[in-house]
């Protein structure tokens, strides 16, 4: 584990006025309900992400902002719901009013080069609020643009593509699919290679709802707050950690030879255990690890290729804190593996039924840690003509969730960057816990 150093880079961004980009051809004006997985409480926010692109000699003289804006207008013909606005119907049901009003687009320039960000790009990114400007009055859930894109040109000829995306419209896989379509059209395609599929009824509750799982990941009482510890937002520190293949191999020494596990399994178990120990919570309390699982292929037949809505399950592993922190890593690892196996077609149907019968509750946040694997979302493969991104990741770190961000070193070896946000005292404990588990591996120290 390498603790990546803090950044103090400061630069100036000059923005043009935000404009609305509309589909370049007429599109249907209709109302399209979201699925019951889409419009749950936990999706009712905007996701913010950054794509860092190098200069490319073959694109010399081309303006990335102009190229992307024109491709966006063409892609919206196929993905026209993104150009609409959300309305809320009875029982909080969200519906897309396909008005064709468009998505927000900002063109900008920064007096900085990609190399100035250093050898490693990772959250939290410097000057993030300037690289993705929140246009006043644009970030509401309802009656607001569903997508905002800012393209910031850099001195070196590279650029930063930043987006703010209404999560109810789709998950990481769906957003990646849309951005891939924009990239294909930017490179000359007439249509996306994967046609978009709406079909949100496939993830809507049954006519006779039937909850067949316990669903301990969801709040069962929407009218009263949860009991238990929630991290206080005071004195929070956001840091990123780099895990090389050698670090994952080192963690595997804690795993019995007959226990098969993925990189996600062992990394999640390690982070959950170290984070829980670092927080020094009451050992008699219970804690949860919520895994975000892509359920597209859990259905029979699988969801159609091109489905770009949310298809996520949130299975939870839970444990008494004392058991989690005092037992070997194998204990946490088995809980993570068991949680992932919960996500089946019936589990997803039961989830939909729970959401509509209980007022679309949020996942439980008290005593929870959420992990989301972005290594398979293919964001890095998105190519607007300048090649794939050097790095793609969320804007910053969040208190209760860590994203697994794919990266490569100079040799081309796969690595994983994990942003973590904790109170300052807990962050020191967290680093020590990780170092103790990886004491045979070199670490990079930095001030916390």
């Amino acid at each position: 584990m390498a603790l990546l150093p803090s950044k103090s880079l400061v630069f100036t961004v000059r923005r043009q006025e935000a404009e609305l980009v509309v589909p370049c051809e007429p599109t249907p004006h209709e109302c399209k309900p979201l699925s019951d997985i889409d419009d749950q409480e936990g999706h009712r926010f905007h996701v913010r992400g950054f794509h860092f692109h190098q200069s490319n000699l073959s694109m010399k003289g081309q303006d990335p902002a102009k190229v992307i804006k024109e491709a966006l207008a063409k892609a919206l013909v196929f993905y026209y719901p993104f150009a609409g606005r959300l309305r809320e119907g009875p029982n909080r049901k969200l519906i897309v009013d396909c008005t064709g009003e468009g998505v927000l687009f900002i063109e900008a320039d920064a007096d900085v080069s990609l190399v100035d960000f250093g050898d490693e790009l990772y959250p939290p990114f410097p000057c993030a609020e300037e690289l993705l400007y929140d246009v006043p009055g644009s970030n509401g859930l309802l009656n607001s643009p569903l997508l905002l894109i800012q393209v910031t040109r850099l001195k070196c000829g590279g650029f930063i593509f930043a987006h703010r995306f209404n999560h109810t419209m789709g998950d990481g896989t769906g957003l990646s699919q849309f951005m891939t379509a924009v990239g294909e059209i930017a490179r000359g395609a007439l249509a996306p290679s994967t046609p978009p599929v709406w079909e949100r009824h496939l993830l809507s509750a049954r006519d006779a709802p039937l909850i067949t799982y316990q669903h301990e990941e969801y709040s069962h009482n929407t009218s009263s707050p949860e009991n238990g510890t929630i991290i206080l937002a005071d004195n929070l520190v956001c840091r990123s950690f780099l895990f090389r293949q050698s670090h994952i191999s080192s963690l595997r020494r804690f795993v019995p030879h007959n226990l098969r596990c993925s990189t996600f399994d062992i990394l999640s178990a390690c982070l959950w255990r170290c984070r829980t120990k670092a927080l020094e919570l009451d050992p008699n309390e219970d804690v949860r690890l919520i895994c975000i699982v892509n359920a597209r292929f859990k259905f029979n037949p699988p969801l159609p290729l091109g489905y770009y809505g949310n298809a996520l399950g949130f299975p939870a592993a839970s444990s008494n804190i004392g058991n989690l922190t005092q037992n070997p890593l194998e204990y946490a690892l088995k809980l993570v593996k068991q949680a992932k196996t919960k996500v089946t077609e019936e589990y997803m149907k039961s989830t939909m039924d729970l959401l509509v019968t209980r007022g679309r509750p949020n996942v439980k946040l008290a005593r929870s840690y959420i992990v989301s694997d972005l290594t398979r979302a293919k964001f890095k493969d998105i190519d607007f003509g300048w090649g794939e991104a050097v790095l793609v990741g969320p804007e910053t770190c969040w208190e209760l969730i860590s994203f697994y961000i794919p990266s490569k070193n100079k040799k081309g070896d796969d690595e994983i960057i994990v942003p973590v946000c904790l109170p300052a005292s807990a962050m020191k404990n967290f680093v020590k816990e990780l170092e103790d588990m990886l004491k045979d591996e070199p670490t990079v120290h930095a001030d916390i």
Side-chain angles (χ1 to χ4, degrees):
M1 175 275 303
L3 171 57
L4 298 170
S6 297
K7 294 284 182 65
S8 57
L9 180 64
V10 178
F11 51 89
T12 301
V13 177
R14 299 188 313 278
R15 294 186 310 273
Q16 297 184 17
E17 287 292 324
E19 59 182 303
L20 285 168
V21 176
V22 302
C24 67
E25 298 176 12
T27 55
H29 190 164
E30 58 189 353
C31 290
K32 301 173 82 70
L34 292 180
S35 79
D36 291 321
I37 294 295
D38 288 326
D39 63 7
Q40 60 184 294
E41 186 64 37
H43 289 159
R44 295 183 179 221
F45 70 102
H46 293 269
V47 179
R48 300 163 65 92
F50 286 72
H51 303 221
F52 292 80
H53 288 266
Q54 293 176 314
S55 61
N56 188 322
L57 285 176
S58 69
M59 298 299 286
K60 189 175 182 179
Q62 295 288 327
D63 179 357
K66 182 175 184 292
V67 169
I68 292 171
K69 183 167 68 172
E70 291 179 354
L72 181 61
K74 295 175 182 178
L76 286 172
V77 175
F78 301 92
Y79 286 88
Y80 64 89
F82 283 148
R85 300 292 184 265
L86 280 186
R87 320 294 187 204
E88 192 171 58
N91 300 316
R92 303 182 70 220
K93 185 65 195 171
L94 293 181
I95 299 166
V96 184
D97 187 358
C98 300
T99 60
E101 291 175 74
V103 303
L104 277 172
F105 188 88
I106 301 173
E107 192 173 330
D109 294 275
D111 60 350
V112 68
S113 296
L114 198 58
V115 68
D116 296 326
F117 285 85
D119 290 336
E120 303 288 354
L121 286 165
Y122 44 84
F125 299 113
C127 300
E129 67 283 354
E130 297 298 322
L131 294 170
L132 184 55
Y133 177 64
D134 259 327
V135 178
S138 72
N139 61 357
L141 180 78
L142 304 176
N143 310 312
S144 295
L146 298 171
L147 178 65
L148 180 152
I149 290 172
Q150 180 172 330
V151 177
T152 304
R153 294 174 289 253
L154 306 177
K155 289 196 307 182
C156 58
F159 63 95
I160 299 172
F161 175 98
H163 69 263
R164 190 193 72 199
F165 177 70
N166 190 312
H167 199 339
T168 64
M169 289 293 290
D171 54 19
T173 299
L175 178 59
S176 175
Q177 179 184 310
F178 171 65
M179 296 301 185
T180 296
V182 175
E184 290 173 338
I185 292 172
R187 302 196 314 274
L190 298 178
S193 60
T194 301
V197 175
W198 184 259
E199 303 298 335
R200 304 294 170 109
H201 66 277
L202 295 173
L203 289 179
S204 292
R206 293 172 278 207
D207 290 336
L210 180 63
I211 302 171
T212 54
Y213 281 72
Q214 186 175 353
H215 293 294
E216 59 186 280
E217 65 272 23
Y218 285 101
S219 299
H220 291 267
N221 188 342
T222 57
S223 61
S224 63
E226 300 173 63
N227 294 320
T229 305
I230 296 182
I231 294 178
L232 298 177
D234 296 335
N235 199 23
L236 288 175
V237 175
C238 297
R239 302 306 302 270
S240 283
F241 297 82
L242 177 69
F243 290 87
R244 303 184 179 96
Q245 292 298 322
S246 59
H247 297 130
I248 303 301
S249 297
S250 180
L251 288 175
R252 289 188 182 278
R253 74 184 192 275
F254 297 106
V255 182
H257 295 299
N258 61 348
L259 183 60
R260 297 185 60 183
C261 63
S262 66
T263 296
F264 174 89
D265 297 337
I266 195 164
L267 185 56
S268 299
C270 170
L271 292 171
W272 183 31
R273 185 173 182 271
C274 290
R275 181 180 180 276
T276 303
K277 292 181 75 171
L279 286 169
E280 298 179 330
L281 304 174
D282 181 349
N284 296 313
E285 284 191 16
D286 290 339
V287 287
R288 280 177 297 276
L289 177 76
I290 297 176
C291 305
I292 299 180
V293 175
N294 182 353
R296 281 168 170 75
F297 297 98
K298 304 297 184 180
F299 291 82
N300 185 20
L303 295 181
L305 181 65
Y307 184 86
Y308 62 101
N310 288 281
L312 302 175
F314 299 95
S318 62
S319 171
N320 171 270
I321 290 175
N323 290 336
L324 178 65
T325 57
Q326 294 167 20
N327 276 301
L329 183 64
E330 177 186 352
Y331 172 84
L333 180 60
K334 288 180 176 179
L335 291 177
V336 173
K337 288 173 62 67
Q338 289 168 7
K340 286 170 53 184
T341 62
K342 295 178 185 177
V343 183
T344 61
E345 180 170 355
E346 179 57 33
Y347 167 90
M348 292 301 294
K349 289 180 177 178
S350 176
T351 298
M352 302 167 210
D353 295 346
L354 177 145
L355 291 168
V356 297
T357 56
R358 295 184 181 166
R360 295 180 172 81
N362 200 352
V363 294
K364 290 180 179 177
L365 299 180
R367 307 185 306 277
S368 290
Y369 178 44
I370 305 170
V371 290
S372 178
D373 185 4
L374 300 182
T375 62
R376 298 182 182 180
K378 299 185 178 179
F379 281 112
K380 278 185 97 275
D381 298 340
I382 296 168
D383 181 0
F384 301 108
W386 281 259
E388 67 177 34
V390 177
L391 184 93
V392 175
E395 171 197 24
T396 187
C397 314
W398 294 348
E399 297 97 312
L400 300 179
I401 184 169
S402 287
F403 295 94
Y404 298 171
I405 303 170
S407 182
K408 288 184 182 293
N409 62 19
K410 293 180 180 179
K411 296 180 181 178
D413 300 325
D414 289 329
E415 299 176 335
I416 298 175
I417 295 171
V418 182
V420 175
C421 191
L422 286 168
S425 59
M427 183 63 80
K428 290 183 178 180
N429 295 340
F430 180 72
V431 172
K432 183 180 184 304
E433 292 296 336
L434 279 177
E435 288 180 335
D436 286 346
M437 293 202 73
L438 296 165
K439 53 190 170 185
D440 295 334
E441 286 292 320
T443 59
V444 176
H445 295 271
D447 293 334
I448 299 174

